[in-house]
Amino acid sequence: MEQLFQKLAEAGLIDDSGNIVLERYPDGTYQAVDKQIFNTFFGDVAENPTYEALMGTHTFMWGDPPQQLTYTAAQLGYQKYFYQWKEFGIL
């Protein structure tokens, strides 16, 4: 996953706090996700975070008390961003 984070940083998609910038808005604000949360959702493919792997189904622990959940990238709301990263050559 570190290689993916490095490519995102090179593309200007890591903010000063180390968060992954998902979307930038005309007023200068942006939507971002913490790397730890991203790793929670997609850590199952950390060894090989390809477009295809990230777009697939992911099982992770979430909540209090923790429960096992299974979602696709589309269900988690990341499909758009992974497609953009693929188009930019990040993935």
Side-chain angles (χ1 to χ4, degrees), residues 1 4-5 20 22 33 35-50 53-60 71-79 82 85:
M1 196 70 74
L4 173 58
F5 294 155
I20 300 167
L22 300 174
V33 63
K35 285 182 188 178
Q36 184 176 350
I37 292 173
F38 187 87
N39 272 322
T40 297
F41 293 159
F42 303 105
D44 58 336
V45 296
E47 295 290 322
N48 190 24
T50 64
L54 288 166
M55 288 297 288
T57 301
H58 305 277
T59 300
F60 53 91
Y71 289 101
T72 64
Q75 290 171 309
L76 289 166
Y78 285 83
Q79 182 177 17
F82 294 161
W85 296 355

PDB file of all heavy atoms in Angstrom, residues 1 4-5 20 22 33 35-50 53-60 71-79 82 85:
ATOM      1  N   MET A   1       0.827  -1.186   0.000  1.00  0.00           N
ATOM      2  CA  MET A   1       0.000   0.000   0.000  1.00  0.00           C
ATOM      3  C   MET A   1       0.870   1.248   0.000  1.00  0.00           C
ATOM      4  O   MET A   1       0.449   2.266  -0.523  1.00  0.00           O
ATOM      5  CB  MET A   1      -0.924  -0.048   1.218  1.00  0.00           C
ATOM      6  CG  MET A   1      -2.073   0.888   1.147  1.00  0.00           C
ATOM      7  SD  MET A   1      -3.380   0.536  -0.044  1.00  0.00           S
ATOM      8  CE  MET A   1      -4.251  -0.815   0.688  1.00  0.00           C
ATOM      9  N   LEU A   4       1.340   2.732  -3.397  1.00  0.00           N
ATOM     10  CA  LEU A   4       0.162   3.479  -3.827  1.00  0.00           C
ATOM     11  C   LEU A   4       0.146   4.853  -3.168  1.00  0.00           C
ATOM     12  O   LEU A   4      -0.080   5.865  -3.837  1.00  0.00           O
ATOM     13  CB  LEU A   4      -1.123   2.720  -3.485  1.00  0.00           C
ATOM     14  CG  LEU A   4      -2.427   3.477  -3.744  1.00  0.00           C
ATOM     15  CD1 LEU A   4      -2.561   3.896  -5.204  1.00  0.00           C
ATOM     16  CD2 LEU A   4      -3.618   2.636  -3.302  1.00  0.00           C
ATOM     17  N   PHE A   5       0.416   4.911  -1.877  1.00  0.00           N
ATOM     18  CA  PHE A   5       0.446   6.200  -1.182  1.00  0.00           C
ATOM     19  C   PHE A   5       1.516   7.115  -1.765  1.00  0.00           C
ATOM     20  O   PHE A   5       1.310   8.320  -1.886  1.00  0.00           O
ATOM     21  CB  PHE A   5       0.666   6.009   0.315  1.00  0.00           C
ATOM     22  CG  PHE A   5      -0.469   5.317   1.028  1.00  0.00           C
ATOM     23  CD1 PHE A   5      -0.231   4.634   2.202  1.00  0.00           C
ATOM     24  CD2 PHE A   5      -1.762   5.348   0.539  1.00  0.00           C
ATOM     25  CE1 PHE A   5      -1.263   4.005   2.880  1.00  0.00           C
ATOM     26  CE2 PHE A   5      -2.806   4.719   1.201  1.00  0.00           C
ATOM     27  CZ  PHE A   5      -2.555   4.043   2.382  1.00  0.00           C
ATOM     28  N   ILE A  20      -5.592  11.097   2.296  1.00  0.00           N
ATOM     29  CA  ILE A  20      -5.736  10.905   0.850  1.00  0.00           C
ATOM     30  C   ILE A  20      -6.831  11.843   0.356  1.00  0.00           C
ATOM     31  O   ILE A  20      -7.980  11.769   0.800  1.00  0.00           O
ATOM     32  CB  ILE A  20      -6.112   9.450   0.539  1.00  0.00           C
ATOM     33  CG1 ILE A  20      -5.036   8.502   1.058  1.00  0.00           C
ATOM     34  CG2 ILE A  20      -6.337   9.262  -0.961  1.00  0.00           C
ATOM     35  CD1 ILE A  20      -5.452   7.044   1.074  1.00  0.00           C
ATOM     36  N   LEU A  22      -9.544  12.873  -2.022  1.00  0.00           N
ATOM     37  CA  LEU A  22     -10.412  12.189  -2.971  1.00  0.00           C
ATOM     38  C   LEU A  22     -10.978  13.131  -4.017  1.00  0.00           C
ATOM     39  O   LEU A  22     -11.080  12.783  -5.182  1.00  0.00           O
ATOM     40  CB  LEU A  22     -11.558  11.485  -2.229  1.00  0.00           C
ATOM     41  CG  LEU A  22     -11.132  10.421  -1.220  1.00  0.00           C
ATOM     42  CD1 LEU A  22     -12.339   9.915  -0.447  1.00  0.00           C
ATOM     43  CD2 LEU A  22     -10.411   9.281  -1.922  1.00  0.00           C
ATOM     44  N   VAL A  33      -9.739  11.189   2.972  1.00  0.00           N
ATOM     45  CA  VAL A  33      -9.906  10.059   3.876  1.00  0.00           C
ATOM     46  C   VAL A  33      -8.571   9.788   4.560  1.00  0.00           C
ATOM     47  O   VAL A  33      -7.512   9.894   3.947  1.00  0.00           O
ATOM     48  CB  VAL A  33     -10.420   8.805   3.140  1.00  0.00           C
ATOM     49  CG1 VAL A  33      -9.434   8.307   2.103  1.00  0.00           C
ATOM     50  CG2 VAL A  33     -10.760   7.693   4.110  1.00  0.00           C
ATOM     51  N   LYS A  35      -5.566   7.724   6.022  1.00  0.00           N
ATOM     52  CA  LYS A  35      -4.915   6.503   5.525  1.00  0.00           C
ATOM     53  C   LYS A  35      -5.296   5.281   6.347  1.00  0.00           C
ATOM     54  O   LYS A  35      -5.431   4.187   5.808  1.00  0.00           O
ATOM     55  CB  LYS A  35      -3.394   6.660   5.531  1.00  0.00           C
ATOM     56  CG  LYS A  35      -2.853   7.533   4.434  1.00  0.00           C
ATOM     57  CD  LYS A  35      -1.334   7.553   4.533  1.00  0.00           C
ATOM     58  CE  LYS A  35      -0.710   8.538   3.615  1.00  0.00           C
ATOM     59  NZ  LYS A  35       0.756   8.572   3.764  1.00  0.00           N
ATOM     60  N   GLN A  36      -5.469   5.457   7.647  1.00  0.00           N
ATOM     61  CA  GLN A  36      -5.812   4.323   8.506  1.00  0.00           C
ATOM     62  C   GLN A  36      -7.190   3.764   8.141  1.00  0.00           C
ATOM     63  O   GLN A  36      -7.375   2.551   8.084  1.00  0.00           O
ATOM     64  CB  GLN A  36      -5.781   4.736   9.977  1.00  0.00           C
ATOM     65  CG  GLN A  36      -6.041   3.585  10.925  1.00  0.00           C
ATOM     66  CD  GLN A  36      -5.905   4.009  12.381  1.00  0.00           C
ATOM     67  OE1 GLN A  36      -5.452   5.102  12.692  1.00  0.00           O
ATOM     68  NE2 GLN A  36      -6.302   3.129  13.263  1.00  0.00           N
ATOM     69  N   ILE A  37      -8.145   4.639   7.889  1.00  0.00           N
ATOM     70  CA  ILE A  37      -9.478   4.188   7.480  1.00  0.00           C
ATOM     71  C   ILE A  37      -9.405   3.520   6.116  1.00  0.00           C
ATOM     72  O   ILE A  37     -10.003   2.460   5.894  1.00  0.00           O
ATOM     73  CB  ILE A  37     -10.484   5.352   7.488  1.00  0.00           C
ATOM     74  CG1 ILE A  37     -10.732   5.809   8.928  1.00  0.00           C
ATOM     75  CG2 ILE A  37     -11.792   4.957   6.808  1.00  0.00           C
ATOM     76  CD1 ILE A  37     -11.562   7.044   9.066  1.00  0.00           C
ATOM     77  N   PHE A  38      -8.652   4.114   5.194  1.00  0.00           N
ATOM     78  CA  PHE A  38      -8.469   3.515   3.873  1.00  0.00           C
ATOM     79  C   PHE A  38      -7.877   2.112   4.017  1.00  0.00           C
ATOM     80  O   PHE A  38      -8.330   1.173   3.366  1.00  0.00           O
ATOM     81  CB  PHE A  38      -7.561   4.404   3.012  1.00  0.00           C
ATOM     82  CG  PHE A  38      -7.462   3.962   1.588  1.00  0.00           C
ATOM     83  CD1 PHE A  38      -8.389   4.378   0.646  1.00  0.00           C
ATOM     84  CD2 PHE A  38      -6.432   3.130   1.172  1.00  0.00           C
ATOM     85  CE1 PHE A  38      -8.297   3.971  -0.669  1.00  0.00           C
ATOM     86  CE2 PHE A  38      -6.324   2.720  -0.143  1.00  0.00           C
ATOM     87  CZ  PHE A  38      -7.260   3.144  -1.070  1.00  0.00           C
ATOM     88  N   ASN A  39      -6.885   1.974   4.879  1.00  0.00           N
ATOM     89  CA  ASN A  39      -6.273   0.662   5.124  1.00  0.00           C
ATOM     90  C   ASN A  39      -7.263  -0.307   5.748  1.00  0.00           C
ATOM     91  O   ASN A  39      -7.200  -1.512   5.478  1.00  0.00           O
ATOM     92  CB  ASN A  39      -5.029   0.794   6.001  1.00  0.00           C
ATOM     93  CG  ASN A  39      -3.785   1.049   5.198  1.00  0.00           C
ATOM     94  OD1 ASN A  39      -3.602   0.510   4.120  1.00  0.00           O
ATOM     95  ND2 ASN A  39      -2.915   1.885   5.727  1.00  0.00           N
ATOM     96  N   THR A  40      -8.152   0.182   6.581  1.00  0.00           N
ATOM     97  CA  THR A  40      -9.176  -0.697   7.161  1.00  0.00           C
ATOM     98  C   THR A  40     -10.053  -1.267   6.059  1.00  0.00           C
ATOM     99  O   THR A  40     -10.304  -2.472   6.016  1.00  0.00           O
ATOM    100  CB  THR A  40     -10.044   0.064   8.184  1.00  0.00           C
ATOM    101  OG1 THR A  40      -9.213   0.497   9.257  1.00  0.00           O
ATOM    102  CG2 THR A  40     -11.163  -0.802   8.719  1.00  0.00           C
ATOM    103  N   PHE A  41     -10.505  -0.425   5.148  1.00  0.00           N
ATOM    104  CA  PHE A  41     -11.387  -0.867   4.070  1.00  0.00           C
ATOM    105  C   PHE A  41     -10.676  -1.749   3.052  1.00  0.00           C
ATOM    106  O   PHE A  41     -11.239  -2.731   2.581  1.00  0.00           O
ATOM    107  CB  PHE A  41     -11.990   0.327   3.326  1.00  0.00           C
ATOM    108  CG  PHE A  41     -12.941   1.165   4.120  1.00  0.00           C
ATOM    109  CD1 PHE A  41     -13.204   2.464   3.730  1.00  0.00           C
ATOM    110  CD2 PHE A  41     -13.593   0.678   5.247  1.00  0.00           C
ATOM    111  CE1 PHE A  41     -14.089   3.259   4.438  1.00  0.00           C
ATOM    112  CE2 PHE A  41     -14.481   1.464   5.970  1.00  0.00           C
ATOM    113  CZ  PHE A  41     -14.732   2.758   5.548  1.00  0.00           C
ATOM    114  N   PHE A  42      -9.445  -1.382   2.683  1.00  0.00           N
ATOM    115  CA  PHE A  42      -8.783  -2.015   1.545  1.00  0.00           C
ATOM    116  C   PHE A  42      -7.477  -2.733   1.899  1.00  0.00           C
ATOM    117  O   PHE A  42      -6.728  -3.132   1.019  1.00  0.00           O
ATOM    118  CB  PHE A  42      -8.521  -0.971   0.451  1.00  0.00           C
ATOM    119  CG  PHE A  42      -9.790  -0.294   0.007  1.00  0.00           C
ATOM    120  CD1 PHE A  42     -10.068   1.001   0.409  1.00  0.00           C
ATOM    121  CD2 PHE A  42     -10.714  -0.961  -0.771  1.00  0.00           C
ATOM    122  CE1 PHE A  42     -11.245   1.624   0.031  1.00  0.00           C
ATOM    123  CE2 PHE A  42     -11.895  -0.355  -1.158  1.00  0.00           C
ATOM    124  CZ  PHE A  42     -12.170   0.950  -0.759  1.00  0.00           C
ATOM    125  N   GLY A  43      -7.229  -2.908   3.180  1.00  0.00           N
ATOM    126  CA  GLY A  43      -6.003  -3.548   3.631  1.00  0.00           C
ATOM    127  C   GLY A  43      -5.847  -4.982   3.180  1.00  0.00           C
ATOM    128  O   GLY A  43      -4.735  -5.510   3.129  1.00  0.00           O
ATOM    129  N   ASP A  44      -6.950  -5.618   2.811  1.00  0.00           N
ATOM    130  CA  ASP A  44      -6.878  -7.001   2.354  1.00  0.00           C
ATOM    131  C   ASP A  44      -6.137  -7.126   1.024  1.00  0.00           C
ATOM    132  O   ASP A  44      -5.728  -8.221   0.646  1.00  0.00           O
ATOM    133  CB  ASP A  44      -8.273  -7.630   2.258  1.00  0.00           C
ATOM    134  CG  ASP A  44      -9.214  -6.889   1.332  1.00  0.00           C
ATOM    135  OD1 ASP A  44      -9.010  -5.674   1.096  1.00  0.00           O
ATOM    136  OD2 ASP A  44     -10.181  -7.517   0.860  1.00  0.00           O
ATOM    137  N   VAL A  45      -5.942  -6.021   0.321  1.00  0.00           N
ATOM    138  CA  VAL A  45      -5.197  -6.049  -0.944  1.00  0.00           C
ATOM    139  C   VAL A  45      -3.926  -5.197  -0.847  1.00  0.00           C
ATOM    140  O   VAL A  45      -3.386  -4.762  -1.861  1.00  0.00           O
ATOM    141  CB  VAL A  45      -6.067  -5.595  -2.153  1.00  0.00           C
ATOM    142  CG1 VAL A  45      -7.218  -6.548  -2.371  1.00  0.00           C
ATOM    143  CG2 VAL A  45      -6.560  -4.167  -1.969  1.00  0.00           C
ATOM    144  N   ALA A  46      -3.448  -4.968   0.372  1.00  0.00           N
ATOM    145  CA  ALA A  46      -2.290  -4.097   0.608  1.00  0.00           C
ATOM    146  C   ALA A  46      -1.050  -4.561  -0.149  1.00  0.00           C
ATOM    147  O   ALA A  46      -0.237  -3.740  -0.577  1.00  0.00           O
ATOM    148  CB  ALA A  46      -1.988  -3.999   2.098  1.00  0.00           C
ATOM    149  N   GLU A  47      -0.891  -5.858  -0.333  1.00  0.00           N
ATOM    150  CA  GLU A  47       0.280  -6.396  -1.036  1.00  0.00           C
ATOM    151  C   GLU A  47       0.265  -6.053  -2.519  1.00  0.00           C
ATOM    152  O   GLU A  47       1.312  -5.921  -3.133  1.00  0.00           O
ATOM    153  CB  GLU A  47       0.340  -7.915  -0.859  1.00  0.00           C
ATOM    154  CG  GLU A  47       0.560  -8.360   0.568  1.00  0.00           C
ATOM    155  CD  GLU A  47       1.948  -8.039   1.078  1.00  0.00           C
ATOM    156  OE1 GLU A  47       2.914  -8.150   0.296  1.00  0.00           O
ATOM    157  OE2 GLU A  47       2.058  -7.658   2.264  1.00  0.00           O
ATOM    158  N   ASN A  48      -0.935  -5.922  -3.094  1.00  0.00           N
ATOM    159  CA  ASN A  48      -1.051  -5.689  -4.526  1.00  0.00           C
ATOM    160  C   ASN A  48      -2.290  -4.834  -4.815  1.00  0.00           C
ATOM    161  O   ASN A  48      -3.288  -5.335  -5.338  1.00  0.00           O
ATOM    162  CB  ASN A  48      -1.131  -7.031  -5.270  1.00  0.00           C
ATOM    163  CG  ASN A  48      -1.013  -6.859  -6.765  1.00  0.00           C
ATOM    164  OD1 ASN A  48      -0.459  -5.883  -7.247  1.00  0.00           O
ATOM    165  ND2 ASN A  48      -1.556  -7.808  -7.504  1.00  0.00           N
ATOM    166  N   PRO A  49      -2.247  -3.534  -4.489  1.00  0.00           N
ATOM    167  CA  PRO A  49      -3.425  -2.681  -4.655  1.00  0.00           C
ATOM    168  C   PRO A  49      -3.633  -2.216  -6.100  1.00  0.00           C
ATOM    169  O   PRO A  49      -3.468  -1.051  -6.430  1.00  0.00           O
ATOM    170  CB  PRO A  49      -3.141  -1.512  -3.717  1.00  0.00           C
ATOM    171  CG  PRO A  49      -1.653  -1.399  -3.713  1.00  0.00           C
ATOM    172  CD  PRO A  49      -1.158  -2.813  -3.834  1.00  0.00           C
ATOM    173  N   THR A  50      -3.980  -3.158  -6.962  1.00  0.00           N
ATOM    174  CA  THR A  50      -4.270  -2.825  -8.361  1.00  0.00           C
ATOM    175  C   THR A  50      -5.696  -2.304  -8.480  1.00  0.00           C
ATOM    176  O   THR A  50      -6.505  -2.451  -7.549  1.00  0.00           O
ATOM    177  CB  THR A  50      -4.127  -4.074  -9.251  1.00  0.00           C
ATOM    178  OG1 THR A  50      -5.123  -5.033  -8.855  1.00  0.00           O
ATOM    179  CG2 THR A  50      -2.734  -4.675  -9.162  1.00  0.00           C
ATOM    180  N   ALA A  53      -8.083  -5.228  -8.007  1.00  0.00           N
ATOM    181  CA  ALA A  53      -8.151  -5.675  -6.614  1.00  0.00           C
ATOM    182  C   ALA A  53      -8.933  -4.678  -5.759  1.00  0.00           C
ATOM    183  O   ALA A  53      -9.778  -5.073  -4.945  1.00  0.00           O
ATOM    184  CB  ALA A  53      -6.751  -5.880  -6.055  1.00  0.00           C
ATOM    185  N   LEU A  54      -8.669  -3.403  -5.928  1.00  0.00           N
ATOM    186  CA  LEU A  54      -9.361  -2.388  -5.138  1.00  0.00           C
ATOM    187  C   LEU A  54     -10.851  -2.334  -5.469  1.00  0.00           C
ATOM    188  O   LEU A  54     -11.675  -2.096  -4.582  1.00  0.00           O
ATOM    189  CB  LEU A  54      -8.724  -1.019  -5.347  1.00  0.00           C
ATOM    190  CG  LEU A  54      -7.359  -0.831  -4.694  1.00  0.00           C
ATOM    191  CD1 LEU A  54      -6.667   0.407  -5.252  1.00  0.00           C
ATOM    192  CD2 LEU A  54      -7.488  -0.734  -3.181  1.00  0.00           C
ATOM    193  N   MET A  55     -11.216  -2.571  -6.717  1.00  0.00           N
ATOM    194  CA  MET A  55     -12.614  -2.512  -7.132  1.00  0.00           C
ATOM    195  C   MET A  55     -13.423  -3.708  -6.646  1.00  0.00           C
ATOM    196  O   MET A  55     -14.652  -3.674  -6.661  1.00  0.00           O
ATOM    197  CB  MET A  55     -12.707  -2.424  -8.656  1.00  0.00           C
ATOM    198  CG  MET A  55     -12.274  -1.077  -9.207  1.00  0.00           C
ATOM    199  SD  MET A  55     -13.307   0.288  -8.654  1.00  0.00           S
ATOM    200  CE  MET A  55     -14.784  -0.034  -9.592  1.00  0.00           C
ATOM    201  N   GLY A  56     -12.767  -4.748  -6.185  1.00  0.00           N
ATOM    202  CA  GLY A  56     -13.448  -5.970  -5.782  1.00  0.00           C
ATOM    203  C   GLY A  56     -14.157  -5.866  -4.441  1.00  0.00           C
ATOM    204  O   GLY A  56     -14.446  -4.789  -3.929  1.00  0.00           O
ATOM    205  N   THR A  57     -14.411  -7.040  -3.866  1.00  0.00           N
ATOM    206  CA  THR A  57     -15.099  -7.168  -2.588  1.00  0.00           C
ATOM    207  C   THR A  57     -14.078  -7.188  -1.456  1.00  0.00           C
ATOM    208  O   THR A  57     -13.043  -7.839  -1.566  1.00  0.00           O
ATOM    209  CB  THR A  57     -15.929  -8.465  -2.566  1.00  0.00           C
ATOM    210  OG1 THR A  57     -16.868  -8.412  -3.651  1.00  0.00           O
ATOM    211  CG2 THR A  57     -16.677  -8.626  -1.269  1.00  0.00           C
ATOM    212  N   HIS A  58     -14.388  -6.471  -0.382  1.00  0.00           N
ATOM    213  CA  HIS A  58     -13.469  -6.348   0.746  1.00  0.00           C
ATOM    214  C   HIS A  58     -14.199  -6.669   2.051  1.00  0.00           C
ATOM    215  O   HIS A  58     -15.305  -6.189   2.282  1.00  0.00           O
ATOM    216  CB  HIS A  58     -12.886  -4.932   0.806  1.00  0.00           C
ATOM    217  CG  HIS A  58     -12.236  -4.542  -0.468  1.00  0.00           C
ATOM    218  ND1 HIS A  58     -10.951  -4.911  -0.776  1.00  0.00           N
ATOM    219  CD2 HIS A  58     -12.714  -3.857  -1.540  1.00  0.00           C
ATOM    220  CE1 HIS A  58     -10.657  -4.452  -1.979  1.00  0.00           C
ATOM    221  NE2 HIS A  58     -11.701  -3.816  -2.459  1.00  0.00           N
ATOM    222  N   THR A  59     -13.548  -7.464   2.880  1.00  0.00           N
ATOM    223  CA  THR A  59     -14.084  -7.824   4.187  1.00  0.00           C
ATOM    224  C   THR A  59     -13.183  -7.198   5.247  1.00  0.00           C
ATOM    225  O   THR A  59     -11.962  -7.318   5.171  1.00  0.00           O
ATOM    226  CB  THR A  59     -14.144  -9.349   4.352  1.00  0.00           C
ATOM    227  OG1 THR A  59     -14.999  -9.875   3.322  1.00  0.00           O
ATOM    228  CG2 THR A  59     -14.696  -9.737   5.711  1.00  0.00           C
ATOM    229  N   PHE A  60     -13.808  -6.508   6.207  1.00  0.00           N
ATOM    230  CA  PHE A  60     -13.047  -5.801   7.227  1.00  0.00           C
ATOM    231  C   PHE A  60     -13.869  -5.707   8.504  1.00  0.00           C
ATOM    232  O   PHE A  60     -15.078  -5.960   8.507  1.00  0.00           O
ATOM    233  CB  PHE A  60     -12.663  -4.399   6.740  1.00  0.00           C
ATOM    234  CG  PHE A  60     -13.840  -3.583   6.255  1.00  0.00           C
ATOM    235  CD1 PHE A  60     -14.534  -2.757   7.127  1.00  0.00           C
ATOM    236  CD2 PHE A  60     -14.254  -3.652   4.927  1.00  0.00           C
ATOM    237  CE1 PHE A  60     -15.621  -2.013   6.691  1.00  0.00           C
ATOM    238  CE2 PHE A  60     -15.345  -2.915   4.487  1.00  0.00           C
ATOM    239  CZ  PHE A  60     -16.024  -2.096   5.366  1.00  0.00           C
ATOM    240  N   TYR A  71     -18.018  -5.342   1.707  1.00  0.00           N
ATOM    241  CA  TYR A  71     -18.517  -4.367   0.738  1.00  0.00           C
ATOM    242  C   TYR A  71     -17.608  -4.325  -0.472  1.00  0.00           C
ATOM    243  O   TYR A  71     -16.417  -4.621  -0.385  1.00  0.00           O
ATOM    244  CB  TYR A  71     -18.551  -2.953   1.344  1.00  0.00           C
ATOM    245  CG  TYR A  71     -19.610  -2.736   2.379  1.00  0.00           C
ATOM    246  CD1 TYR A  71     -19.287  -2.753   3.729  1.00  0.00           C
ATOM    247  CD2 TYR A  71     -20.922  -2.495   2.011  1.00  0.00           C
ATOM    248  CE1 TYR A  71     -20.258  -2.540   4.695  1.00  0.00           C
ATOM    249  CE2 TYR A  71     -21.896  -2.272   2.973  1.00  0.00           C
ATOM    250  CZ  TYR A  71     -21.566  -2.300   4.308  1.00  0.00           C
ATOM    251  OH  TYR A  71     -22.522  -2.089   5.266  1.00  0.00           O
ATOM    252  N   THR A  72     -18.169  -3.878  -1.592  1.00  0.00           N
ATOM    253  CA  THR A  72     -17.365  -3.593  -2.777  1.00  0.00           C
ATOM    254  C   THR A  72     -16.915  -2.138  -2.715  1.00  0.00           C
ATOM    255  O   THR A  72     -17.454  -1.343  -1.930  1.00  0.00           O
ATOM    256  CB  THR A  72     -18.174  -3.796  -4.072  1.00  0.00           C
ATOM    257  OG1 THR A  72     -19.238  -2.836  -4.093  1.00  0.00           O
ATOM    258  CG2 THR A  72     -18.731  -5.209  -4.182  1.00  0.00           C
ATOM    259  N   ALA A  73     -15.974  -1.776  -3.566  1.00  0.00           N
ATOM    260  CA  ALA A  73     -15.526  -0.382  -3.640  1.00  0.00           C
ATOM    261  C   ALA A  73     -16.686   0.535  -3.999  1.00  0.00           C
ATOM    262  O   ALA A  73     -16.791   1.646  -3.464  1.00  0.00           O
ATOM    263  CB  ALA A  73     -14.401  -0.246  -4.657  1.00  0.00           C
ATOM    264  N   ALA A  74     -17.583   0.083  -4.868  1.00  0.00           N
ATOM    265  CA  ALA A  74     -18.736   0.895  -5.249  1.00  0.00           C
ATOM    266  C   ALA A  74     -19.637   1.136  -4.050  1.00  0.00           C
ATOM    267  O   ALA A  74     -20.101   2.262  -3.828  1.00  0.00           O
ATOM    268  CB  ALA A  74     -19.509   0.217  -6.372  1.00  0.00           C
ATOM    269  N   GLN A  75     -19.882   0.116  -3.246  1.00  0.00           N
ATOM    270  CA  GLN A  75     -20.735   0.269  -2.068  1.00  0.00           C
ATOM    271  C   GLN A  75     -20.101   1.202  -1.038  1.00  0.00           C
ATOM    272  O   GLN A  75     -20.810   1.903  -0.318  1.00  0.00           O
ATOM    273  CB  GLN A  75     -21.012  -1.097  -1.436  1.00  0.00           C
ATOM    274  CG  GLN A  75     -21.911  -1.972  -2.284  1.00  0.00           C
ATOM    275  CD  GLN A  75     -21.987  -3.383  -1.751  1.00  0.00           C
ATOM    276  OE1 GLN A  75     -20.971  -4.015  -1.495  1.00  0.00           O
ATOM    277  NE2 GLN A  75     -23.198  -3.876  -1.596  1.00  0.00           N
ATOM    278  N   LEU A  76     -18.777   1.212  -0.974  1.00  0.00           N
ATOM    279  CA  LEU A  76     -18.062   2.091  -0.048  1.00  0.00           C
ATOM    280  C   LEU A  76     -17.925   3.513  -0.593  1.00  0.00           C
ATOM    281  O   LEU A  76     -17.483   4.411   0.112  1.00  0.00           O
ATOM    282  CB  LEU A  76     -16.674   1.522   0.264  1.00  0.00           C
ATOM    283  CG  LEU A  76     -16.665   0.269   1.132  1.00  0.00           C
ATOM    284  CD1 LEU A  76     -15.288  -0.393   1.091  1.00  0.00           C
ATOM    285  CD2 LEU A  76     -17.065   0.607   2.563  1.00  0.00           C
ATOM    286  N   GLY A  77     -18.269   3.723  -1.864  1.00  0.00           N
ATOM    287  CA  GLY A  77     -18.204   5.051  -2.463  1.00  0.00           C
ATOM    288  C   GLY A  77     -16.872   5.410  -3.093  1.00  0.00           C
ATOM    289  O   GLY A  77     -16.612   6.583  -3.368  1.00  0.00           O
ATOM    290  N   TYR A  78     -16.026   4.426  -3.349  1.00  0.00           N
ATOM    291  CA  TYR A  78     -14.686   4.690  -3.872  1.00  0.00           C
ATOM    292  C   TYR A  78     -14.525   4.395  -5.360  1.00  0.00           C
ATOM    293  O   TYR A  78     -13.491   4.694  -5.937  1.00  0.00           O
ATOM    294  CB  TYR A  78     -13.642   3.874  -3.099  1.00  0.00           C
ATOM    295  CG  TYR A  78     -13.362   4.424  -1.730  1.00  0.00           C
ATOM    296  CD1 TYR A  78     -14.180   4.122  -0.650  1.00  0.00           C
ATOM    297  CD2 TYR A  78     -12.284   5.269  -1.512  1.00  0.00           C
ATOM    298  CE1 TYR A  78     -13.939   4.631   0.606  1.00  0.00           C
ATOM    299  CE2 TYR A  78     -12.023   5.785  -0.259  1.00  0.00           C
ATOM    300  CZ  TYR A  78     -12.854   5.465   0.795  1.00  0.00           C
ATOM    301  OH  TYR A  78     -12.610   5.977   2.037  1.00  0.00           O
ATOM    302  N   GLN A  79     -15.517   3.824  -6.002  1.00  0.00           N
ATOM    303  CA  GLN A  79     -15.400   3.430  -7.404  1.00  0.00           C
ATOM    304  C   GLN A  79     -14.954   4.607  -8.275  1.00  0.00           C
ATOM    305  O   GLN A  79     -14.045   4.476  -9.094  1.00  0.00           O
ATOM    306  CB  GLN A  79     -16.727   2.878  -7.897  1.00  0.00           C
ATOM    307  CG  GLN A  79     -16.713   2.402  -9.327  1.00  0.00           C
ATOM    308  CD  GLN A  79     -18.048   1.803  -9.736  1.00  0.00           C
ATOM    309  OE1 GLN A  79     -19.065   2.017  -9.075  1.00  0.00           O
ATOM    310  NE2 GLN A  79     -18.053   1.061 -10.804  1.00  0.00           N
ATOM    311  N   PHE A  82     -11.181   5.404  -7.693  1.00  0.00           N
ATOM    312  CA  PHE A  82     -10.287   4.389  -8.248  1.00  0.00           C
ATOM    313  C   PHE A  82     -10.247   4.489  -9.766  1.00  0.00           C
ATOM    314  O   PHE A  82      -9.192   4.320 -10.377  1.00  0.00           O
ATOM    315  CB  PHE A  82     -10.705   2.990  -7.802  1.00  0.00           C
ATOM    316  CG  PHE A  82     -10.560   2.753  -6.324  1.00  0.00           C
ATOM    317  CD1 PHE A  82     -11.238   1.727  -5.709  1.00  0.00           C
ATOM    318  CD2 PHE A  82      -9.754   3.562  -5.528  1.00  0.00           C
ATOM    319  CE1 PHE A  82     -11.116   1.491  -4.347  1.00  0.00           C
ATOM    320  CE2 PHE A  82      -9.623   3.344  -4.161  1.00  0.00           C
ATOM    321  CZ  PHE A  82     -10.311   2.300  -3.586  1.00  0.00           C
ATOM    322  N   TRP A  85      -8.022   7.418 -10.523  1.00  0.00           N
ATOM    323  CA  TRP A  85      -6.617   7.054 -10.286  1.00  0.00           C
ATOM    324  C   TRP A  85      -6.093   6.190 -11.418  1.00  0.00           C
ATOM    325  O   TRP A  85      -4.944   6.327 -11.801  1.00  0.00           O
ATOM    326  CB  TRP A  85      -6.466   6.342  -8.951  1.00  0.00           C
ATOM    327  CG  TRP A  85      -6.806   7.172  -7.751  1.00  0.00           C
ATOM    328  CD1 TRP A  85      -7.142   8.517  -7.720  1.00  0.00           C
ATOM    329  CD2 TRP A  85      -6.877   6.728  -6.396  1.00  0.00           C
ATOM    330  NE1 TRP A  85      -7.396   8.908  -6.441  1.00  0.00           N
ATOM    331  CE2 TRP A  85      -7.243   7.830  -5.601  1.00  0.00           C
ATOM    332  CE3 TRP A  85      -6.659   5.496  -5.800  1.00  0.00           C
ATOM    333  CZ2 TRP A  85      -7.391   7.745  -4.228  1.00  0.00           C
ATOM    334  CZ3 TRP A  85      -6.817   5.405  -4.419  1.00  0.00           C
ATOM    335  CH2 TRP A  85      -7.174   6.523  -3.647  1.00  0.00           C
TER     336      TRP A  85
END
